Amino acid sequence: MLRFAQWLEMTPLSVTIKSVEWIIPLVQSIHILTLAVVFASLLMIALRVVGWIRMDEAFSVVMERFSTWIRGGLVILAVTGITLVLGEPIRELM
């Protein structure tokens, strides 16, 4: 795994991500905010399941509303996560 991380660290994309000093903090911030959106959406669904909120709406309506945020958030999390791994492969993979 170390060899792969060392190779990945020398790729042009990884070097670019590391050399531009604002990319990693920006991507980390987006990653963290997206985590909050996904977890908040999951919490809203869970609270509806236990009957604490949105009892006036059908579960399917609540699920539809928040699953859109979850799906979009998971895509953003994947993109930002891959970017972070490419930017600091040895740190992330070890």
Side-chain angles (χ1 to χ4, degrees):
M1 192 64 123
L2 180 60
R3 280 180 155 175
F4 175 71
Q6 289 170 337
W7 170 81
L8 191 58
E9 188 173 43
M10 296 303 158
T11 61
L13 186 57
S14 180
V15 171
T16 301
I17 291 170
K18 282 187 290 195
S19 65
V20 180
E21 63 186 46
W22 56 266
I23 289 178
I24 298 245
L26 176 67
V27 171
Q28 285 175 336
S29 298
I30 293 169
H31 196 77
I32 291 168
L33 290 173
T34 306
L35 273 172
V37 168
V38 170
F39 282 124
S41 297
L42 289 170
L43 177 65
M44 295 303 285
I45 291 170
L47 290 175
R48 172 58 180 89
V49 167
V50 296
W52 290 358
I53 62 165
R54 300 282 184 196
M55 293 306 296
D56 57 326
E57 294 180 329
F59 176 75
S60 60
V61 173
V62 175
M63 185 67 180
E64 178 74 26
R65 180 182 312 133
F66 291 109
S67 64
T68 304
W69 287 97
I70 293 169
R71 281 191 301 269
L74 290 176
V75 170
I76 294 170
L77 285 172
V79 170
T80 56
I82 290 168
T83 304
L84 290 171
V85 169
L86 287 173
E88 299 175 322
I90 293 178
R91 179 176 166 238
E92 301 293 336
L93 297 175
M94 292 298 153

